Amino acid sequence: MKIYTKTGDKGQTSLIGARTDKDAPRVEAYGTIDEVNSFIGKAMTELAPEKYADLLEDLEAIQNELFDCGGDLADVRKEPNFKMTEVPVEVLEKRIDELMEEPPLLERFILPGGSPAAATLHIARTITRRAERQTVTLMRSGEEFPLVVQRYLNRLSDYLFAASRVVNSRAGVPDNEYVRSAKVFKGGGRGKKSAE
């Protein structure tokens, strides 16, 4: 089976139910979600199963959910078959709360880095933020898609921040504090980057 079709040689691609330009905002959004998924896959190869079994289980589920998000964004039929629900959002919230109890308290902002897997998760986190911004652009332009996708991406970026801190903590690698940061987590905090 050949994987190239030549149907995109003139700058268009197929959605579910239509064709559109390859640089259309909808395609940019689900393409960025695919980018997130790739970095999550890379992070999984950097995590030892005996130490990070729970995170690997989370990340495998997240990879499938991201595929669902991308599929939902690509479905432009009059009667689409959306897959995403609020349940994965609620699961992420529960896991964020659990994970944030594990690493040491922080007083300052931290820089991406530490262990290789944590650094990869930080890359995935920042790309997730870009994907979220792109879904907001879609919302403002009047494009229709399940809004749970935007909420999921918002929670996922927080999950990836929490997971990166847990990875460093279990690896015995300290988080790298931003040296010019004021003490922003009063009285010590778990270092939740944002509640946005």
Side-chain angles (χ1 to χ4, degrees):
M1 177 181 174
K2 292 183 178 180
I3 64 168
Y4 59 88
T5 64
K6 302 184 181 180
T7 58
D9 288 352
K10 294 184 178 179
Q12 287 208 323
T13 191
S14 292
L15 300 172
I16 304 173
R19 283 185 67 77
T20 191
D21 294 331
K22 287 189 174 185
D23 61 351
R26 185 179 292 269
V27 179
E28 289 283 358
Y30 72 65
T32 304
I33 288 172
D34 190 35
E35 201 175 334
V36 173
N37 214 337
S38 296
F39 275 102
I40 287 175
K42 182 178 185 298
M44 292 172 72
T45 69
E46 298 165 341
L47 294 171
E50 61 274 12
K51 188 178 290 188
Y52 303 106
D54 58 331
L55 295 182
L56 286 167
E57 183 177 348
D58 290 347
L59 294 171
E60 183 176 356
I62 287 165
Q63 283 197 304
N64 282 276
E65 290 155 5
L66 285 170
F67 217 89
D68 289 341
C69 287
D72 285 356
L73 287 177
D75 196 339
V76 295
R77 295 172 296 182
K78 290 183 179 179
E79 296 183 6
N81 181 26
F82 295 140
K83 294 182 175 68
M84 281 300 289
T85 69
E86 293 289 342
V87 173
V89 177
E90 294 166 0
V91 171
L92 284 180
E93 290 173 351
K94 180 175 182 292
R95 287 296 289 147
I96 291 166
D97 291 341
E98 292 169 351
L99 293 175
M100 291 301 288
E101 292 301 315
E102 186 173 336
L105 297 175
L106 281 179
E107 292 183 323
R108 295 177 172 84
F109 288 118
I110 62 170
L111 302 174
S115 66
T120 303
L121 289 170
H122 274 294
I123 294 171
R125 172 184 62 79
T126 59
I127 299 172
T128 300
R129 285 294 193 196
R130 172 155 45 93
E132 183 191 4
R133 292 193 299 270
Q134 290 168 337
T135 60
V136 170
T137 298
L138 278 179
M139 289 186 333
R140 289 184 175 170
S141 68
E143 294 270 0
E144 293 187 9
F145 66 94
L147 298 183
V148 67
V149 171
Q150 185 270 329
R151 290 193 292 277
Y152 179 82
L153 294 172
N154 185 277
R155 298 305 182 283
L156 178 58
S157 63
D158 287 334
Y159 169 87
L160 292 169
F161 178 81
S164 69
R165 292 211 62 223
V166 167
V167 168
N168 277 342
S169 178
R170 293 184 192 177
V173 177
D175 288 311
N176 188 13
E177 290 189 340
Y178 171 46
V179 295
R180 285 179 286 282
S181 174
K183 291 185 178 182
V184 293
F185 304 109
K186 303 300 182 186
R190 290 292 170 186
K192 189 174 188 300
K193 184 178 61 63
S194 72
E196 296 177 356

